[in-house]
């Protein structure tokens, strides 16, 4: 019988869920924060062959000098196989070397499009937003060209919206058939959305977001209540298993002992 | 087409007529900024977020003061924040009119309060790009091309607020994005090693420093360490930027402090977070604390010697000791108190 943890934080749940989505031997484009913790956890558990790539230029490092605080940090280069710069990293992505990209944003819509640019009226108030966010960084590029993406978003009704205030990173666009291909994009788009409340996917036909599993303590109703648009529900929806004792021990003692990203 | 900085034709003509001789390019920071940074210039900012940001050069630009600057970069944290902070405090002394960028923030340490202050109060013109499209703009310029197709950045709202264009590829018949070259008037870079001629060696990720150097009209380089030309010539495959792309070489150890310099020092989180906290406070109405920081660390010091002289030795030492070491060795160290 699996020894599940009873005491874990929302961040630790997200990291565990992220790690469990990663197949061994895949090339993963890593963003700052929880994705780095998730990738490292996967490397230490089910995916020792996972290959992280960082957009500032490091390919295939082992993060044994501590968690990087930035995707451009020198710690991302520890025991790397290949180091160049940003053009090289995104050319690899454009060419098709990157299997999975982790991206996030302040807002997400039913088709997995993301906003990390601005809150306010676009285009009228582009130059005078209500809240200016940092901008795309590499997320817009990863959304275009990674074979598929996994989204991590805080689960609140104001973040899960029917219509974005600004589309920074493309998901399934308007959900129409071949929308991404028509726009000239290459990857298959978002495959999973991970939040503190649910693991979600996208409906094959409509491309709308669909609950695949509820996180421990949540129900389909509580997930829907935290979402600003109507979610589809998979016919085999299940309760996602909590982190195991082993996963929690690795996060707390090995990967993020000083709680840089995974607060308790 | 609006070309900020040089148009491709202007950049080509300037380079044809430029003195490309292999000469000693050492000069003081004061002289380098005086000669190569003018009002209205498009500045290509090297580094990435808070790694190898050209802090020493930015401080000197702030001391001397310039008007109507344009900042071009992929992702940056401290340098745009320093320049925007100077503008927020003394708009008649230093001003930024425009930023062309993909990301301005501090990753783990949060969003940029200076970007928020400037945009939410409509004080600057902005043009959003992505990390790839902005990096590829420098690369396009470095290759002497006016534009380049990339398969990134189309389909959403970013393409609507920048000068990129979507066309049907004449060969594949699929939509593709064209991005215009970016030729800055001046590129500002910090590297680990350079010789007196400007040959540079970058350790770790190059970010887009080589592309910015090859794209820019003029380039100021600060280096951690000036090395003998013989060292460069012994292994020229390690040269990241060739001498004739560089106009000024200034040896400034800790020239990107408190940001990371690969293999030299890690972040000084205490100083970075202190400054970041003051910019957060500024946005919420506390002008005095940020003004005091600028006086203490920038306006009232002559140069980087004096700036670094104000950083406690324990912080400098810890930043050195936490770079390029196993976690096990790092955990034996005692972090300095904030």
């Amino acid at each position: 019988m699996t020894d599940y943890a009873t005491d874990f934080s929302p961040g630790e749940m997200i990291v565990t869920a992220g790690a469990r989505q990663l197949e061994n031997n895949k090339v993963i484009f890593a963003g700052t924060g929880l994705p780095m913790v998730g990738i490292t956890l996967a490397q230490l558990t089910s995916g020792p062959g996972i290959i992280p790539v960082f957009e500032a230029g490091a390919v295939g490092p082992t993060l044994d000098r501590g968690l990087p605080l930035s995707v451009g940090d020198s710690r991302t280069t520890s025991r790397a196989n290949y180091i160049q710069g940003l053009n090289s990293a995104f050319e690899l992505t454009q060419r098709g070397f990157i299997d999975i990209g982790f991206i996030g944003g302040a807002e997400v819509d039913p088709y997995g499009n993301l906003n990390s640019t601005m809150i306010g009226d676009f285009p009228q108030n582009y130059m005078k937003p209500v809240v200016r966010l940092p901008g795309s960084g590499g997320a817009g590029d990863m959304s275009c060209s990674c074979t598929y993406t996994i989204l991590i978003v805080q689960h609140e009704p104001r973040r899960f919206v029917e219509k974005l205030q600004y589309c920074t990173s493309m998901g399934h666009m308007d959900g129409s058939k071949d929308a991404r291909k028509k726009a000239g994009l290459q990857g298959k788009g978002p495959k999973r959305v991970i939040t503190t409340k649910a693991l979600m996917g996208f409906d094959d036909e409509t491309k709308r977001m669909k609950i695949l599993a509820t996180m421990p303590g949540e129900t389909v109703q509580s997930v829907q209540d935290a979402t600003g648009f109507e979610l589809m529900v998979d016919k085999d929806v299940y309760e996602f298993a909590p982190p195991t004792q082993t996963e929690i021990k690795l996060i707390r003692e090995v990967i993020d002992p000083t709680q840089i990203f995974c607060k308790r | 087409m609006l070309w900020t900085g040089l148009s491709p034709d202007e950049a080509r003509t300037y380079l044809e007529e430029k003195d490309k001789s292999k000469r000693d390019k050492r000069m003081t920071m004061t002289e380098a900024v005086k000669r190569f940074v003018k009002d209205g210039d498009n500045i290509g900012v090297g580094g990435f977020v808070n790694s190898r940001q050209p802090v020493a050069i930015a401080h000197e630009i702030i001391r001397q003061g310039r008007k109507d600057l344009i900042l071009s970069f992929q992702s940056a944290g401290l340098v745009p924040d320093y320049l925007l902070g100077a503008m927020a405090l003394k708009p008649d002394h230093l001003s930024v009119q425009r930023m062309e960028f993909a990301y301005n923030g501090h990753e783990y340490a949060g969003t940029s309060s200076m970007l928020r202050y400037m945009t939410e109060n409509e004080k600057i013109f902005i043009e959003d790009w992505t990390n790839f499209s902005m990096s590829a703009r420098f690369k396009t310029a470095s290759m002497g091309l006016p534009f380049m197709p990339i398969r990134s950045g189309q389909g959403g709202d970013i393409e609507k607020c920048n000068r990129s264009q979507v066309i049907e590829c004449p060969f594949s018949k699929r939509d593709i994005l064209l991005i215009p070259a970016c030729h800055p008037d001046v590129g500002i870079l910090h590297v680990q090693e350079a010789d007196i001629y400007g040959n540079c060696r970058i350790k770790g990720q190059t970010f887009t420093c080589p592309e910015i150097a090859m794209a820019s009209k003029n380039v100021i380089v600060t280096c951690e360490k000036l090395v003998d030309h013989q060292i460069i010539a012994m292994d020229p495959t390690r040269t990241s930027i060739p001498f004739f792309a560089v106009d000024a070489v200034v040896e400034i150890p800790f020239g990107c402090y408190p940001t990371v310099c690969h293999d030299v020092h890690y972040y000084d989180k205490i100083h970075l977070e202190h400054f970041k906290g003051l910019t957060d406070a500024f946005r919420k109405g506390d002008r005095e604390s940020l003004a005091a920081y600028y006086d203490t660390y920038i306006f009232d010091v002559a140069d980087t010697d004096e700036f670094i002289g104000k950083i406690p030795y324990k912080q400098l030492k810890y930043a050195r000791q936490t770079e390029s070491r196993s976690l096990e060795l790092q955990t034996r160290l005692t972090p300095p108190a904030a």
Side-chain angles (χ1 to χ4, degrees), chain A residues 32 55 70-75 77 84 87 91 94 126-127 132 134 136-138 141 166-167 170 185, chain B residues 51 102 104 107 119-120 126 128 130-132 139 151-152 154 157 161 174 206 211 262 266-267 323 330:
Chain A
T32 307
E55 63 192 276
S70 157
V71 288
D73 188 317
S74 51
R75 287 179 175 177
T77 66
Q84 299 280 333
N87 275 308
E91 285 160 13
Q94 186 169 258
Y126 173 56
M127 294 296 170
R132 174 65 212 205
S136 160
D141 306 303
Y166 183 103
C167 176
M170 278 62 74
L185 310 182
Chain B
S51 293
N104 177 195
E107 292 184 78
T119 53
E120 292 165 20
I126 46 171
D128 273 277
T130 63
N131 270 345
F132 186 29
K139 183 168 183 170
R151 308 180 78 157
S152 208
Q154 73 271 45
D157 288 329
C161 40
R174 285 188 64 191
T206 56
E211 292 93 326
H262 188 104
Y266 199 52
Y267 304 98
E323 176 59 15
Q330 286 180 46

Side-chain angles (χ1 to χ4, degrees), chain A residues 31-33 36 54-58 63-78 83-91 94 116-117 122-142 144-145 163-170 173 180-186 253-255 257-258 260-261, chain B residues 47-51 74-75 101-112 115-116 118-133 135-139 148-162 166 174-176 204-208 211 260-263 265-267 269 322-328 330:
Chain A
T32 307
M36 290 183 192
F54 290 91
E55 63 192 276
L63 302 181
D64 60 356
R65 287 187 204 147
L67 271 182
L69 303 180
S70 157
V71 288
D73 188 317
S74 51
R75 287 179 175 177
T76 66
T77 66
S78 184
I83 301 177
Q84 299 280 333
L86 279 93
N87 275 308
S88 164
F90 290 113
E91 285 160 13
Q94 186 169 258
S116 54
T117 303
F122 180 82
Q124 305 90 302
N125 291 340
Y126 173 56
M127 294 296 170
K128 193 179 189 306
V130 177
V131 178
R132 174 65 212 205
L133 305 168
S136 160
D141 306 303
M142 288 155 74
C144 290
S145 292
K163 191 175 178 338
L164 300 177
Q165 298 181 63
Y166 183 103
C167 176
T168 311
S169 304
M170 278 62 74
M173 304 188 70
R180 289 179 57 91
K181 191 164 189 213
K182 282 177 196 152
L185 310 182
Q186 300 191 96
E253 292 174 18
V254 179
I255 308 170
T258 55
I260 299 168
F261 298 115
Chain B
F48 176 85
V49 192
N50 284 330
S51 293
Q74 12 78 4
S75 286
F101 70 111
Y103 176 96
N104 177 195
H106 301 274
E107 292 184 78
Y108 87 96
T111 57
S112 161
L115 174 69
R116 286 196 60 184
M118 287 297 166
T119 53
E120 292 165 20
N121 293 290
E122 216 177 357
K123 290 178 184 293
I124 55 171
F125 188 95
I126 46 171
E127 188 179 44
D128 273 277
W129 297 86
T130 63
N131 270 345
F132 186 29
S133 56
S135 300
R137 291 187 64 208
F138 293 128
K139 183 168 183 170
M148 183 158 80
I150 59 169
R151 308 180 78 157
S152 208
Q154 73 271 45
D157 288 329
I158 295 179
E159 67 165 78
K160 296 177 192 156
C161 40
N162 66 32
V166 176
R174 285 188 64 191
D175 277 1
I176 198 154
Q205 311 100 315
T206 56
F207 307 131
T208 45
E211 292 93 326
V260 179
C261 190
H262 188 104
D263 257 4
H265 60 76
Y266 199 52
Y267 304 98
K269 283 178 67 182
T322 42
E323 176 59 15
S324 300
R325 279 196 193 181
S326 72
L327 203 53
E328 203 223 331
Q330 286 180 46

Side-chain angles (χ1 to χ4, degrees), chain B residues 16 32 54 57-58 75 99 114 201 205 216 237 246 266 291 293-294 321 330:
Chain B
E16 283 175 2
I57 306 175
S75 286
M99 297 216 304
M114 296 326 303
R201 276 183 174 181
Q205 311 100 315
S216 298
T237 54
V246 173
Y266 199 52
Y293 175 96
Y294 273 76
Q321 291 177 322
Q330 286 180 46

Side-chain angles (χ1 to χ4, degrees), chain A residues 114-258:
Chain A
L114 291 163
N115 172 14
S116 54
T117 303
M118 62 170 276
I119 301 298
D121 287 333
F122 180 82
Q124 305 90 302
N125 291 340
Y126 173 56
M127 294 296 170
K128 193 179 189 306
V130 177
V131 178
R132 174 65 212 205
L133 305 168
S136 160
D141 306 303
M142 288 155 74
S143 77
C144 290
S145 292
C146 289
T147 302
Y148 64 84
T149 52
I150 297 176
L151 318 183
I152 294 182
V153 186
Q154 283 187 40
H155 210 136
E156 300 169 16
R158 68 185 179 105
R159 294 181 184 275
F160 279 69
V161 293
E162 187 65 42
K163 191 175 178 338
L164 300 177
Q165 298 181 63
Y166 183 103
C167 176
T168 311
S169 304
M170 278 62 74
H172 297 294
M173 304 188 70
D174 63 1
S176 62
K177 195 170 182 298
D178 293 334
R180 289 179 57 91
K181 191 164 189 213
K182 282 177 196 152
L185 310 182
Q186 300 191 96
K188 295 179 177 67
K191 181 171 178 177
R192 292 286 180 264
V193 183
I194 300 172
T195 76
T196 50
K197 295 185 181 298
L199 172 71
M200 291 164 286
F202 293 87
D203 181 64
D204 288 341
E205 286 301 311
T206 64
K207 299 288 181 195
R208 283 184 70 102
M209 206 181 287
K210 178 164 83 170
I211 307 178
L212 301 178
T214 53
M215 291 300 172
E218 301 290 338
T219 61
V220 165
Q221 191 56 47
S222 71
V223 173
Q224 178 60 63
D225 289 346
T227 308
F229 53 81
E230 201 175 328
L231 288 164
M232 299 177 76
V233 181
D234 191 74
K235 62 177 175 30
D236 299 321
V237 66
Y238 61 99
E239 184 168 322
F240 199 81
T244 63
Q245 301 279 8
T246 310
E247 286 166 330
I248 290 295
K249 198 169 150 68
L250 284 170
I251 295 169
R252 293 184 184 178
E253 292 174 18
V254 179
I255 308 170
D256 192 9
T258 55

